[in-house]
């Protein structure tokens, strides 16, 4: 008789096991696993962010706490109206974004498509293109110095201008140093995008490609009408990462010339005003808040799309 019962009926008959309560050791381990990362986030992210918001409405020399004076919106008004590097930095960030979105990201996608095929030594190529993402910033700067040096750099040697008056000062000339820095950034960004798209391509159902082939689609049509739309979650992540990468870009330009002489970026201005002898805490904090507000746009967009899809 019992063998003829269906699964729901068996569940009704079978007594349920009582839920196991957490032991003291489990609770301590859980508290450490949750509490430590939360505390680190509070100390290193949220408290500095809240402090920056508060300090952006003050005047402070960064030394004596008793000399903090309220300034209202004066710092923001100064940045927008009188601070010379601000609007060039905004323009450079926009150019940076267009360059990454128009060249670096498609390059990463192209590398992923090529390496996703039956290419001999694919793993080796993947490692080679991903290495720039893993190496340190200092080493990145050294490598690109070797490329861009005016007298002995590889690029000027290839152009045949090394050691001559016609040699281009790639990092010193404000007309070309932004382009040189964006190429260096592309070197890193394309490898990162390549890995993400490779993961996305591995996750596409092969049946979609087979169905497209049966319908007579060629390789180009199959990719852009079937495969690429199927990677929609990866595409959203890539868009958000590209925007954030543009907004937080400062490392390369700071290594080159501390973000001056044609390499002004919002991230570099924040560091210039918060660190060093010429620090102006109120201005630097206001710039950080502006950068934070602009960065929240793509983050909210990504979270809305991600959680909206789950609902």
């Amino acid at each position: 008789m019992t063998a003829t019962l269906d699964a729901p009926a068996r569940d009704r008959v079978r007594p349920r096991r009582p839920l196991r309560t957490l032991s003291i050791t489990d609770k301590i381990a859980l508290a450490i696993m949750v509490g430590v990362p939360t505390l680190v986030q509070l100390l290193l992210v949220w408290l500095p962010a809240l402090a920056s918001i508060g300090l952006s409405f003050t005047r402070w020399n960064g030394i004596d706490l008793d000399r903090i004076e309220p300034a209202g919106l004066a710092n923001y008004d100064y940045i927008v109206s009188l601070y010379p590097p601000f609007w060039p930095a905004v323009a450079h960030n926009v150019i940076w974004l267009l360059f990454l979105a128009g060249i670096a990201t498609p390059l990463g996608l192209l590398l992923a498509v090529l390496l996703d095929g039956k290419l001999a030594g694919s793993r080796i190529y993947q490692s080679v293109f991903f290495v720039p993402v893993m190496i340190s910033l200092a080493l990145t700067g050294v490598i690109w110095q070797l490329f861009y040096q005016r007298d002995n750099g590889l690029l000027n040697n290839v152009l045949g201008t090394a050691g001559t008056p016609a040699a281009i000062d790639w990092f010193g000339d404000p007309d070309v140093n932004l382009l040189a820095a964006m190429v260096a950034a592309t070197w890193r960004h394309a490898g990162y995008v390549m890995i993400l798209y490779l993961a996305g391509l591995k996750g596409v159902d092969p049946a979609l490609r087979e169905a497209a082939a049966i319908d007579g689609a060629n390789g180009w049509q199959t990719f852009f009408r079937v495969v690429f739309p199927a990677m929609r979650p990866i595409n959203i992540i890539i868009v958000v990462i590209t925007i954030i990468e543009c907004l937080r870009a400062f490392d390369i330009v700071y290594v080159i010339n501390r973000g001056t002489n044609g390499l002004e970026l919002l991230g570099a201005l924040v560091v210039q005003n918060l660190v060093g002898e010429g620090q102006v805490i109120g201005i630097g904090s206001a710039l950080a808040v502006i950068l934070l507000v602009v960065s929240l746009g793509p983050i909210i967009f990504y979270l809305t799309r991600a959680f909206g899809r789950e609902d």
Side-chain angles (χ1 to χ4, degrees):
M1 183 67 179
T2 305
T4 59
L5 293 176
D6 55 4
R10 287 198 300 273
D11 289 342
R12 287 195 298 271
V13 174
R14 184 180 303 165
R16 294 180 180 276
R17 294 181 179 177
L19 294 176
R20 181 190 174 195
T21 57
L22 297 176
S23 65
I24 295 178
T25 305
D26 294 337
K27 292 178 180 178
I28 294 175
L30 184 62
I32 293 175
M33 293 173 64
V34 175
V36 172
T38 304
L39 183 62
V40 171
Q41 282 281 325
L42 285 173
L43 293 177
L44 300 182
V45 178
W46 290 105
L47 287 181
L50 293 175
S52 296
I53 295 174
L55 290 172
S56 68
F57 299 101
T58 65
R59 294 188 184 89
W60 185 34
N61 59 7
I63 300 176
D64 191 353
L65 292 175
D66 295 333
R67 300 189 63 178
I68 298 178
E69 300 175 357
L73 297 174
N75 291 328
Y76 293 95
D77 182 57
Y78 171 77
I79 290 172
V80 175
S81 305
L82 302 173
Y83 189 48
F86 177 69
W87 289 112
V90 173
H92 294 164
N93 273 95
V94 173
I95 295 172
W96 200 283
L97 173 61
L98 296 176
F99 194 88
L100 290 187
I103 295 179
T105 298
L107 178 60
L109 174 61
L110 175 63
L111 293 174
V113 172
L114 294 175
L115 296 180
D116 186 53
K118 296 179 181 179
L119 183 65
S122 175
R123 295 294 177 88
I124 297 175
Y125 292 124
Q126 292 177 29
S127 302
V128 169
F129 291 123
F130 191 67
V131 163
V133 184
M134 299 186 294
I135 62 176
S136 68
L137 174 63
L139 185 56
T140 301
V142 170
I143 292 173
W144 285 98
Q145 284 284 355
L146 296 176
F147 273 89
Y148 286 139
Q149 279 183 354
R150 179 170 184 172
D151 295 328
N152 301 312
L154 176 63
L155 194 53
N156 279 331
N157 273 294
V158 171
L159 296 175
T161 58
T164 69
I168 300 174
D169 189 358
W170 294 99
F171 280 161
D173 188 344
D175 294 329
V176 298
N177 57 9
L178 182 62
L179 175 63
M182 289 189 296
V183 171
T186 297
W187 188 55
R188 299 171 61 190
H189 185 73
Y192 191 25
V193 171
M194 177 201 71
I195 288 296
L196 292 176
Y197 269 127
L198 266 176
L201 289 169
K202 301 295 183 188
V204 174
D205 189 351
L208 294 175
R209 290 189 174 94
E210 295 172 2
I214 293 174
D215 290 340
N218 57 31
W220 186 270
Q221 293 169 328
T222 299
F223 179 77
F224 282 103
R225 295 185 181 181
V226 178
V227 176
F228 192 72
M231 295 192 297
R232 183 170 175 271
I234 298 296
N235 294 332
I236 294 174
I237 293 174
I238 296 294
V239 170
V240 174
I241 287 176
T242 301
I243 296 173
I244 293 178
E245 192 73 19
C246 157
L247 292 173
R248 72 175 187 175
F250 93 96
D251 45 10
I252 294 291
V253 301
Y254 203 75
V255 168
I256 295 173
N257 64 2
R258 297 184 180 274
T260 59
N261 191 32
L263 288 179
E264 295 85 359
L265 291 173
L266 288 176
L269 295 185
V270 172
V271 176
Q272 290 171 11
N273 283 278
L274 291 179
V275 180
E277 297 179 354
Q279 63 180 1
V280 186
I281 300 298
I283 300 298
S285 299
L287 285 165
V289 172
I290 293 173
L291 195 57
L292 174 64
V293 171
V294 176
S295 302
L296 285 177
I299 294 173
I300 292 174
F301 171 76
Y302 168 72
L303 293 178
T304 302
R305 301 300 293 263
F307 286 102
R309 186 173 58 255
E310 291 180 359
D311 294 339

